[in-house]
Amino acid sequence: PNGEEFVATFVLKRLLTAQKTVLIFDVGSNRGEFISFFEPVAPTATIHCFEPSETCFRYPRERFGRNKRIALNNLAVNDVGGSAAFFEPEEGSISSTTLKDVAALKVLQGKGRPTSDGSLRAHGVPAVLLDEYAAQADIKDVAYVKIDVEGGERKVLEGMQCLIKDNKVRYVQLEINDCNLLTDLTILKI
């Protein structure tokens, strides 16, 4: 397993020895890779997945749509609810993001292509704050939050301030990479 999977396995096994089931938020589910990972590691877990790309969301919907322990949400997670601009360097890209500058960086890195007229593909997607989502679903305890949203990690964290402040989240795993340099999010600022 990679480093992310090693840490998640360690944490989830530790949590499951203390209680029978846990609740996981998978923010930036993409094609469901982490859902596939979480299922055998935490077979009793309830997993709430969030993926705004309709193309990517198709995969977890087909693979896990009948699993009652997995809540599939074709939504962006953000610091503002309603809708968000969503940039896809190319359809179904793993580099899709709610941040225009990050999408442009991905194109420069060769991880996507602009449209024929040179612009970035952008469209509106439904968006939710994790604080509001948890309140509406009456979620009181989130054992593990995985965040991989190509530079939008700060917005996700800002949209879950109440959950964090009220100690309703036990572990947060987030990806920090070159995208986060554009948003000024570093491990020191978390």
Side-chain angles (χ1 to χ4, degrees):
N2 63 33
E4 293 173 329
E5 291 172 351
F6 176 80
V7 170
T9 300
F10 176 80
V11 169
L12 290 170
K13 286 185 177 181
R14 185 173 175 183
L15 288 168
L16 288 169
T17 59
Q19 62 191 74
K20 194 171 189 159
T21 188
V22 295
L23 189 134
I24 298 168
F25 282 168
D26 179 5
V27 181
S29 296
N30 198 262
R31 296 182 176 138
E33 296 88 348
F34 252 82
I35 305 169
S36 298
F37 164 74
F38 285 134
E39 269 203 311
V41 172
T44 60
T46 300
I47 306 169
H48 292 253
C49 306
F50 303 87
E51 175 54 50
S53 168
E54 182 58 43
T55 305
C56 290
F57 186 73
R58 192 176 323 143
Y59 294 93
R61 183 175 42 224
E62 289 171 4
R63 290 181 64 199
F64 308 107
R66 291 193 170 109
N67 188 326
K68 297 200 185 310
R69 292 184 305 100
I70 300 174
L72 299 170
N73 297 283
N74 191 195
L75 302 168
V77 176
N78 214 341
D79 58 345
V80 178
S83 72
F86 189 64
F87 300 90
E88 294 186 84
E90 55 189 351
E91 188 176 345
S93 170
I94 61 169
S95 299
S96 300
T97 179
T98 57
L99 303 171
K100 185 176 184 177
D101 291 344
V102 171
L105 172 67
K106 293 297 184 177
V107 169
L108 289 173
Q109 293 173 331
K111 297 178 182 173
R113 293 182 297 279
T115 62
S116 59
D117 68 358
S119 65
L120 296 169
R121 290 169 185 79
H123 56 95
V125 295
V128 66
L129 284 76
L130 287 180
D131 282 339
E132 291 176 359
Y133 180 88
Q136 289 172 353
D138 198 30
I139 294 172
K140 306 261 188 259
D141 180 52
V142 182
Y144 196 87
V145 180
K146 184 234 62 172
I147 307 170
D148 182 354
V149 291
E150 301 304 315
E153 287 78 8
R154 176 187 297 279
K155 289 183 174 193
V156 173
L157 291 169
E158 289 172 359
M160 58 184 285
Q161 285 301 304
C162 292
L163 287 167
I164 293 169
K165 185 179 71 176
D166 295 341
N167 292 314
K168 293 181 178 180
V169 175
R170 286 184 267 163
Y171 293 91
V172 175
Q173 170 192 328
L174 52 109
E175 180 179 82
I176 304 239
N177 59 28
D178 54 345
C179 300
N180 301 103
L181 295 174
L182 295 172
T183 64
D184 198 33
L185 177 68
T186 65
I187 198 70
L188 297 174
K189 293 185 178 183
I190 294 179

